Amino acid sequence: MEQFQQHLEKLVRIRLLLLDVDGVMTDGSIFYGADDNEIKRFHVRDGLGIRLAMRAGIKVGVVTGRSSEALMNRCRNLGIGLIYAGVSDKAALLDRIVTQTSVPAENIAFAGDDLVDLPLMRRVGLSIAVADAHETVKAQAHLVTAAPGGAGAVREICEALLKSQGRWEAILKEFQ
């Protein structure tokens, strides 16, 4: 992906990947069951990308305005411990994340899809929009994925990080 090459210097520095959930880890759809439980659809290849990134030493966390048991289950399944759910001001949370993780803002990437993500995107070292993000978000992001949210965008991001940091070939060897 050509635009990822243009931002190689930023990709190499990333030690923490933060992800919005609805519209990034999912396609943005929310299903409600009869008992008011939310049901979310996650992409399995995104999950493997997250696991590979974490195994390579890249921390992964979620920052989302909504909170649901479906999200908590997915994070537990993937081993994501940095969960910031029900957040109304994502940018204000950044200082806490920096303190908690000891990762400076310039070494953090954040992937978002809608206007509420812009303030945090402006404060991190690498801002990423998914392919089907709001046009304003895409225009202000450093990178825009080829895949839409919930359909491989997170995997694309994880692979770009791993490749730029020289870790991809070693991962491929594990599967041969």
Side-chain angles (χ1 to χ4, degrees):
M1 170 163 271
E2 188 176 309
Q3 71 163 329
F4 283 93
Q5 288 300 94
Q6 294 172 356
H7 292 282
L8 187 59
E9 188 177 306
K10 290 180 185 300
L11 286 159
V12 168
R13 292 193 320 245
I14 299 305
R15 300 291 169 254
L16 170 60
L17 171 61
L18 296 174
L19 302 165
D20 178 38
V21 176
D22 298 312
V24 174
M25 291 179 70
T26 75
D27 66 3
S29 299
I30 299 171
F31 301 92
Y32 287 98
D35 56 2
D36 282 338
N37 280 338
E38 280 189 20
I39 300 169
K40 296 181 186 285
R41 183 179 145 264
F42 297 93
H43 200 290
V44 69
R45 285 190 294 260
D46 286 348
L48 180 58
I50 289 169
R51 285 188 176 149
L52 294 173
M54 291 190 308
R55 195 163 69 200
I58 299 170
K59 297 175 184 176
V60 178
V62 297
V63 179
T64 180
R66 301 179 58 81
S67 183
S68 72
E69 194 56 37
L71 168 63
M72 299 309 287
N73 287 337
R74 183 63 171 155
C75 288
R76 271 192 297 274
N77 175 263
L78 294 173
I80 297 172
L82 293 171
I83 305 165
Y84 305 95
V87 176
S88 58
D89 185 352
K90 295 178 183 184
L93 185 64
L94 184 62
D95 293 334
R96 181 171 147 209
I97 292 171
V98 167
T99 300
Q100 183 178 354
T101 64
S102 299
V103 178
E106 61 267 15
N107 299 114
I108 298 175
F110 175 62
D113 72 306
D114 215 338
L115 301 175
V116 297
D117 298 318
L118 285 172
L120 180 54
M121 290 174 75
R122 290 184 188 116
R123 293 195 60 205
V124 296
L126 180 66
S127 60
I128 306 165
V130 294
D132 58 338
H134 188 279
E135 292 302 317
T136 303
V137 175
K138 290 194 291 188
Q140 294 188 34
H142 293 115
L143 302 172
V144 179
T145 64
V154 173
R155 174 66 170 266
E156 186 180 333
I157 294 164
C158 291
E159 283 190 23
L161 288 169
L162 293 166
K163 288 174 182 176
S164 71
Q165 295 179 12
R167 301 168 192 222
W168 184 245
E169 292 303 319
I171 287 170
L172 289 180
K173 286 180 184 175
E174 292 177 31
F175 293 98
Q176 295 181 12

